Amino acid sequence: MSENAYRNLSLEETLDRLLAPQPTCILFHVHPDADAIGSAFALAAFLESQGSPCYCLCADEIPARLAFLTENMQTSVLPNTLPADFDNARLISVDTASPAQLGALYGMFGDRISLMIDHHEMGTPYADHLIVPGAAACGEIIFDLIAASGKEAPAACAPLLYAAISSDTGGFRHSNVTKETHLRAAALVESGIDVAELSHKLFEVKTFPVLRAERLGFDKLHLFDGGRIGISSISFEDKQFNKLQDDHLSTVVDLIRSVAGVEIAVAIRQPTGERVYRVSMRANVDFDVAAVCAKFGGGGHRRAAGATLTEFNDIAAAEQAILAAIQENS
Ligand SMILES: [Mn+2]
C-alpha cells in the first residue's frame, strides 16, 4: 500500500469533511488507552451535536479501569455490537497510526476508512489523513478541530478531551507537553470538569491485579549497562500463575521507568501461549525508542514506542534481541 495514494488534509479540509452530517463510525486502536477512547468519544459527541449519528468501534473492549470515561455513552465498542443503521456509515479512525493497530477492525472495515486523525510520527497511513506529529495527544487535534469549527461542544467533550490529553502526557509530565497543551487543558478546565477526580481515576487508582502485575514486573526486572537499561519480561506462564490479564500489565513499563538510573525502560509480555511478544519501550532521556521498535516492525514516538515480536523461540530470546537493538542504537 502506497502512502502517496492518500491525501494529506489540512485542519480546515478535515473539518469540512467532518461537518457533513452522516452516520459515522469512529475506530480506534487495540489495547485502547484514554487518548484513543477520549478522542473517539469526544469526536462522536461533537459530531452527534452537528447531526451525525456516531458509533465508536474497537477490536478490544474498553478496559475496566477506563470504563468510567464512557459511562452512559455506549455499553460496548466491539464490532459485533454495531447497530445495523451504521452498515453504510462513513468510517473515521483516531489515534491509530497503522493498519495493524486496528486489529480485527482492519480486515472488516480497513478499505472503507475515509479519514484518519492521528498524532503518531511513524505510521503507515491507510486513508486520507490529518496527522499532527507535534500534538501530544490525538485529543489535542480533536480539541483544535472543535475549536476551529466555532461551534459549541457538548458538555461530554471536555472530560473526554482532558482525559485524552492528560493521559498521553502522563499527567502533563512527558516531554511532549507544550505551552499549547496547557492552554488547551486550561480551556477544558474552564468548562467545569473535575480535574482531581479525573486525575485520581486516571493516575492513582490501581486494582489489586495491577498492583500484583507491578510486583511481578519488578521481580522480573533485569538491569543492563550499569542500570541504564531496564527490561522486564512477563511470560504467558507468569501471567497465568499470577492470575493476570494483559490489560493489567500496562503500567509495568512506567514502574521500570521510575527506577533511579534507568534511562530506557522496556516491558515485554506474552499475550497467549503462542510465540508472540509485545514490547513497550520508554526513554527517560533523549533516545529514539521508536527507531529501535521500527527494527522489529513497530513504531510510535521518540520516547514512547512499541513493537510485536514473532521470530523468537522464547521471551528470553526476545529480551536479548531488544537489548542488542538498544545497545546498537546507543
Ligand atoms: Mn495517542
Side-chain angles (χ1 to χ4, degrees):
M1 190 182 301
S2 158
E3 187 175 328
N4 302 327
Y6 303 113
R7 286 196 56 212
N8 205 338
L9 303 172
S10 69
L11 194 85
E12 291 69 27
E13 288 172 307
T14 306
L15 191 57
D16 280 347
R17 289 197 186 192
L18 288 175
L19 289 176
Q22 55 188 298
T24 303
C25 291
I26 302 173
L27 286 59
F28 51 96
H29 63 76
V30 293
H31 309 296
D33 55 20
D35 186 29
I37 298 163
S39 295
F41 278 84
L43 181 60
F46 175 66
L47 294 184
E48 291 209 330
S49 76
Q50 301 305 313
S52 292
C54 287
Y55 201 85
C56 295
L57 287 175
C58 182
D60 293 329
E61 195 54 275
I62 291 176
R65 69 173 201 91
L66 295 175
F68 71 92
L69 289 171
T70 59
E71 254 170 25
N72 314 318
M73 301 187 89
Q74 271 179 225
T75 49
S76 172
V77 292
L78 296 179
N80 61 8
T81 65
L82 182 66
D85 23 330
F86 287 91
D87 279 353
N88 297 307
R90 72 172 158 186
L91 304 176
I92 297 172
S93 75
V94 295
D95 199 35
T96 309
S98 303
Q101 293 181 307
L102 285 168
L105 292 185
Y106 193 71
M108 293 178 214
F109 305 112
D111 53 352
R112 287 182 42 217
I113 297 173
S114 59
L115 172 63
M116 55 182 283
I117 301 172
D118 188 35
H119 69 123
H120 295 89
E121 239 162 282
M122 285 197 263
T124 307
Y126 45 85
D128 289 353
H129 46 263
L130 172 64
I131 300 174
V132 186
C138 190
E140 290 198 312
I141 309 171
I142 306 298
F143 177 99
D144 289 354
L145 284 163
I146 295 174
S149 77
K151 321 257 185 202
E152 201 178 324
C157 289
L160 288 163
L161 292 176
Y162 188 88
I165 296 170
S166 70
S167 151
D168 255 25
T169 56
F172 304 97
R173 288 177 299 189
H174 293 165
S175 61
N176 55 2
V177 172
T178 63
K179 175 187 161 193
E180 282 68 36
T181 307
H182 282 291
L183 289 173
R184 292 182 185 97
L188 295 168
V189 171
E190 198 170 30
S191 72
I193 55 171
D194 190 334
V195 172
E197 191 197 2
L198 271 173
S199 303
H200 178 65
K201 287 178 174 169
L202 284 172
F203 300 110
E204 294 172 343
V205 173
K206 287 178 181 173
T207 61
F208 271 90
V210 167
L211 290 166
R212 278 209 310 280
E214 290 191 352
R215 183 174 62 190
L216 177 64
F218 187 68
D219 284 346
K220 299 278 173 184
L221 173 62
H222 296 145
L223 295 173
F224 303 96
D225 293 8
R228 191 177 73 87
I229 303 168
I231 308 182
S232 179
S233 301
I234 298 179
S235 68
F236 181 61
E237 208 181 8
D238 295 330
K239 246 171 34 185
Q240 282 192 309
F241 186 76
N242 289 277
K243 298 189 173 62
L244 297 172
Q245 283 145 26
D246 270 28
D247 64 356
H248 299 139
L249 303 180
S250 61
T251 59
V252 169
V253 72
D254 300 313
L255 177 86
I256 301 164
R257 213 166 80 81
S258 72
V259 175
V262 167
E263 296 180 352
I264 299 149
V266 184
I268 306 177
R269 62 191 164 82
Q270 184 181 15
T272 66
E274 285 173 54
R275 289 171 188 158
V276 173
Y277 307 99
R278 290 202 200 280
V279 179
S280 300
M281 218 178 282
R282 303 284 183 272
N284 284 333
V285 296
D286 187 30
F287 180 89
D288 191 355
V289 289
V292 174
C293 288
K295 291 183 179 177
F296 301 93
H301 308 285
R302 190 171 169 83
R303 289 192 176 199
T308 299
L309 276 53
T310 51
E311 62 268 46
F312 299 97
N313 278 331
D314 57 38
I315 201 161
E319 178 172 314
Q320 279 307 310
I322 289 289
L323 174 64
I326 294 170
Q327 287 168 331
E328 230 169 75
N329 278 29
S330 294

